[in-house]
Every structure is written in C-alpha cells, then in structure tokens.
Amino acid sequence: MGALLSGKAGLVTGAASGIGRACAIRMAAEGAAVVVADLESARAGGEQTVQTITEDGGRAEFFACDVARAADNQALVEHVVDRFGTLDFAHNNAGVGVHTLLADTEDEDFDRVIAVNLRGTFLGMKHQIRQMLRGGSGAIVNTSSNAGLRGVRLLSAYTASKHGILGLTKNGAIEYANDGIRINAVCPGAIMTPLMSNESPERQQQILRPQAMSRFGEPDEVAAAVTWLCSDEASFVTGVAMPVDAGSVAGW
Ligand SMILES: NC(=O)c1ccc[n+]([C@@H]2O[C@H](COP(=O)([O-])OP(=O)(O)OC[C@H]3O[C@@H](n4cnc5c(N)ncnc54)[C@H](O)[C@@H]3O)[C@@H](O)[C@H]2O)c1
C-alpha cells in the first residue's frame, strides 16, 4: 500500500478482531512488523490477522496477552524487542463494554471495564514508555471513544474508562514530549465490529443517532488515522484526542 511505517516495528492490542485487526493489517501494509496481541481465548482470530498480513507479504506474529495483567504487558513489549529489535509504536486498543444504566451496573462489571480499558492502557503505556525511553523515540496511540469526549447513555463504566484514557494520553504526552515520544488517542464513533454487531438493532440505532453521517464506520477508517498518528508524518502531533466519528461530538 505504502511506506508510512517502513522499517518500524510495533504492537497492537485487541488485534484479533475489529478495529485492532484493521490497524495491524494497515500498519503492516505500510511497511511495519507488527505483533498482534490479544487474549489466548482469541488466538484463532489473532492467527487470522497474522495470516492476512503474511499472505500480503507483511511481517506479523501473534502474542497472547491479557492487558489487565501487568506481567503480560511487560512480556509483550519484551517480545516485540526480542523479535524485531525495537518498539517504534504501540496501539493500546483492547477494550470491553457493558450496557446498563449507571445504578444497575454491577460492581464486578464496572471493575472489569476499568481493569481492561483504563488500567490495561496504563499498564501498556508504562512498559511501552520505559522501552521507548531506552530506544530514544516512539509513538503511542490509545483507543478512546466518542464516549471519551461526552456521555453515552447506558455506558457509564465504559464512558468513565474512555475519559480516563484521554487523561493518561495527555499526561503521557506532556511528560515525555522532549524524550522523542508522542502519545495520542483516537475517539471512534459507531464502527461496525463484533463489539457493535453483538448489540441489538435498536441499540445500534441509538448509538448511531448522534452522528452527522448516518452510517456505521468501517474499522479501516479508524486504522487510517491510527497508522498516520504512529507515523513520522505526525511528528508535531502529541496529546490529541482525535475524533474519528462522522461528526458525533461536533454537535447534535
Ligand atoms: N466498535 C465501535 O463502535 C467502537 C467505538 C469507539 C471505540 N471503540 C473501541 O475500539 C476498541 C476495539 O473495539 P472493537 O470495536 O474492534 O471491538 P472487538 O470486540 O471487535 O475487539 C476487541 C478486541 O479486544 C480483545 N480484548 C478484550 N479484552 C482483552 C484483554 N483483557 N486483553 C487483550 N485483549 C482483549 C478482544 O478479544 C477483541 O479481540 C475498544 O477499545 C473499543 O472500546 C469501539
């Protein structure tokens, strides 16, 4: 496709499916070696992502990782460096949601969403930044959501986690800007992935309603933005929360 990430190596979490898969495929098509990270239980999907990349002549491999576990995040970073010699970019994308009213949300569900989405992003960034400091440069992109920029009915735990991801993004960006490390976030709108298609048609329409464009986005439309943010083309961009949302947060 191109050479935006030529000679670079990195990782994508949640890359067995949806947006993460599209990002890994696009990054590899732009010349990167990519470690496709996801849960062991999602290995089949991860291997499918890898197969798509290698069949197109790219370099990729699967690594089983639960982003909610500190040791897994450290091992993932070490694996990328072992296999490809460097960690130039990381996309913290794995995420889960629970659709309930705030007062009906089980404590365990709240904790799980925060553990995967927010703490998982923190743990990922921590180990990625340590490695990028050793390497002298790097780019991190976190997947937040339009639910990181405003409330979304029935998604309070998710909304809290996605707002928190933007806090981590901004703090990391200002703390490491002069170390050659850029940290940004994308805030997708309604993208048609299993996370969305598993919801009822009524719920899908409810989520779609605030968008100015009345259609679901494709995972590749998010991947284009993430890949650009990981590339040197975005060399003066850090600390942004970039909506990729068909006008969802622009107004309703
Ligand atoms: N689809 C949308 O409309 C939409 C909108 C905004 C933001 N997002 C965000 O985009 C990201 C990707 O979502 P998607 O729509 O592609 O969903 P998806 O369900 O297709 O993919 C999510 C992936 O994350 C993996 N995952 C879940 N928990 C994990 C863990 N603990 N460790 C490692 N991997 C784990 C899953 O196995 C899955 O492969 C998520 O952070 C989601 O919140 C999605």
Side-chain angles (χ1 to χ4, degrees):
M1 183 185 273
L4 264 184
L5 299 178
S6 180
K8 295 186 187 291
L11 65 91
V12 182
T13 68
S17 176
I19 292 169
R21 168 179 285 167
C23 288
I25 291 170
R26 187 155 189 137
M27 290 160 171
E30 292 288 348
V34 184
V35 171
V36 169
D38 210 301
L39 295 168
E40 176 59 38
S41 59
R43 176 177 285 272
E47 301 285 12
Q48 205 180 314
T49 305
V50 169
Q51 195 181 335
T52 303
I53 291 171
T54 51
E55 281 176 1
D56 284 352
R59 286 192 299 162
E61 56 183 66
F62 178 73
F63 188 82
C65 163
D66 180 345
V67 298
R69 294 177 39 132
D72 285 16
N73 282 284
Q74 186 172 355
L76 172 59
V77 167
E78 287 171 0
H79 184 78
V80 180
V81 177
D82 278 356
R83 295 293 297 126
F84 299 120
T86 175
L87 180 73
D88 298 305
F89 64 87
H91 180 203
N92 296 304
N93 167 77
V96 293
V98 51
H99 296 245
T100 45
L101 286 169
L102 191 155
D104 297 334
T105 302
E106 298 292 345
D107 299 356
E108 297 72 24
D109 287 337
F110 183 86
D111 290 347
R112 186 172 57 89
V113 170
I114 296 297
V116 175
N117 297 7
L118 182 55
R119 191 163 182 274
T121 299
F122 160 71
L123 291 170
M125 289 175 72
K126 176 175 174 170
H127 292 286
Q128 293 150 15
I129 289 168
R130 286 178 178 182
Q131 175 55 39
M132 288 172 178
L133 287 171
R134 285 192 285 272
S137 65
I140 295 174
V141 179
N142 299 322
T143 300
S144 176
S145 169
N146 57 10
L149 296 167
R150 59 172 172 77
V152 177
R153 269 171 226 286
L154 300 178
L155 277 174
S156 42
Y158 183 84
T159 298
S161 74
K162 294 298 185 179
H163 276 70
I165 287 172
L166 294 184
L168 289 172
T169 302
K170 290 171 190 169
N171 242 78
I174 60 172
E175 288 175 4
Y176 298 100
N178 284 326
D179 295 304
I181 302 173
R182 295 182 301 100
I183 305 178
N184 294 292
V186 286
C187 299
I191 311 299
M192 193 42 82
T193 68
L195 188 118
M196 181 63 64
S197 59
N198 290 338
E199 297 302 315
S200 69
E202 296 73 32
R203 179 66 177 144
Q204 288 180 23
Q205 286 309 311
Q206 195 180 30
I207 292 171
L208 190 60
R209 208 166 296 138
Q211 282 184 193
M213 292 180 203
S214 305
R215 68 166 176 89
F216 289 98
E218 296 296 330
D220 201 45
E221 295 180 287
V222 181
V226 174
T227 302
W228 179 78
L229 285 169
C230 285
S231 80
D232 294 340
E233 291 291 297
S235 55
F236 206 54
V237 180
T238 197
V240 305
M242 180 188 285
V244 185
D245 72 348
S248 179
V249 296
W252 190 17

